[in-house]
Amino acid sequence: MDTLKGRMAAEWKKICALPLKERPGYIWDYYKLWILGLAAVLVFTVTMTYHAVTTPSETWFFACFANVEADLGEGSDLHTGFAQYAGYDLTTGVLQFEDELYCKPATSSTVGSTYYELLTAYLDAGTLDVLVMGTDDLLAVGETGRLMSLADERVSDLAEQYADRVLTVEADLEDTGELTQVPVGIDLSGSRLEEYYSAGCALGISANAPHIDQIDLFLSYLFS
């Protein structure tokens, strides 16, 4: 520590001994990496502080619409329409609609697919509430155990309400060694989303959905 203080004192004397016009150039030549590093830290700190202060901290709901070409994200008619329908105040919370995810787990290999890895990350992390995909693709995801069984007591009311739309997969989700029919999807035929999926689509609930209480409201909006 004493050595460092001594070096700093000696360097300061050297700078002070230079003519005023030469000091900025000397400092930049010998300390530009330190200056740039400190500037980067300052910019990062200010940016993160700004986002922490201005970004709403609460997420109202998070839906993913996979394999769509239309804009269904923030600011779209679907996004603003559901926000109004649900009464969300988007100045205090976030309604997240993901519409830039493309993968076909029913017909294509998911090995090395960045999009599929992102999807599984959303599902496994407990941030995503519902997934909308083409029916076959959704059921393929359901076979992995990442979608909540509609027999779960937390969503059993939805299973009853949409009983004629429930879709099942044959899977061993309980690790018993036996395949059983597991209800994992809700057919969205005739809903607001039908026009974006020419071959039909379905909705699945993430096994780790954080906002289960909002799913009934979302389905009501889609069929309103």
Side-chain angles (χ1 to χ4, degrees):
M1 181 63 72
D2 291 337
T3 302
L4 178 59
K5 288 182 178 179
R7 290 178 180 176
M8 292 177 63
E11 188 63 20
W12 179 249
K13 289 181 179 179
K14 183 186 296 185
I15 293 172
C16 291
L18 292 172
L20 287 176
K21 292 183 179 180
E22 295 180 12
R23 291 177 187 177
Y26 178 86
I27 293 172
W28 176 251
D29 288 340
Y30 287 92
Y31 297 100
K32 60 184 174 183
L33 293 180
W34 286 95
I35 294 171
L36 292 174
L38 290 172
V41 170
L42 179 61
V43 170
F44 176 79
T45 302
V46 170
T47 301
M48 293 302 294
T49 301
Y50 172 79
H51 284 298
V53 171
T54 61
T55 301
S57 59
E58 183 177 1
T59 297
W60 298 114
F61 191 70
F62 183 6
C64 175
F65 308 96
N67 306 319
V68 291
E69 296 181 1
D71 177 12
L72 300 182
E74 183 178 352
S76 67
D77 290 343
L78 186 75
H79 183 270
T80 56
F82 179 53
Q84 294 173 359
Y85 184 87
Y88 296 150
D89 182 354
L90 299 184
T91 64
T92 61
V94 176
L95 172 59
Q96 187 170 354
F97 278 8
E98 169 63 70
D99 65 344
E100 296 183 353
L101 194 150
Y102 309 92
C103 58
K104 298 281 188 177
T107 58
S108 304
S109 172
T110 57
V111 177
S113 170
T114 302
Y115 286 119
Y116 187 74
E117 290 175 359
L118 177 59
L119 173 60
T120 58
Y122 282 147
L123 292 167
D124 293 345
T127 57
L128 184 66
D129 290 301
V130 298
L131 169 65
V132 176
M133 300 182 84
T135 303
D136 291 342
D137 290 317
L138 183 87
L139 295 180
V141 175
E143 290 175 351
T144 70
R146 289 187 167 91
L147 298 182
M148 185 179 296
S149 168
L150 298 181
D152 190 299
E153 63 179 6
R154 292 173 294 173
V155 293
S156 57
D157 289 347
L158 292 178
E160 293 179 9
Q161 184 177 354
Y162 297 97
D164 58 337
R165 293 179 174 274
V166 170
L167 303 171
T168 63
V169 295
E170 194 174 53
D172 178 19
L173 301 186
E174 302 296 331
D175 293 326
T176 62
E178 297 183 4
L179 296 177
T180 58
Q181 292 295 322
V182 182
V184 296
I186 296 175
D187 176 36
L188 295 180
S189 298
S191 74
R192 293 174 180 266
L193 296 176
E194 187 175 43
E195 65 177 292
Y196 306 113
Y197 293 88
S198 58
C201 62
L203 176 145
I205 302 171
S206 170
N208 302 305
H211 307 106
I212 294 176
D213 60 330
Q214 300 299 297
I215 297 173
D216 185 20
L217 189 62
F218 183 62
L219 283 167
S220 296
Y221 172 70
L222 293 183
F223 287 108
S224 65

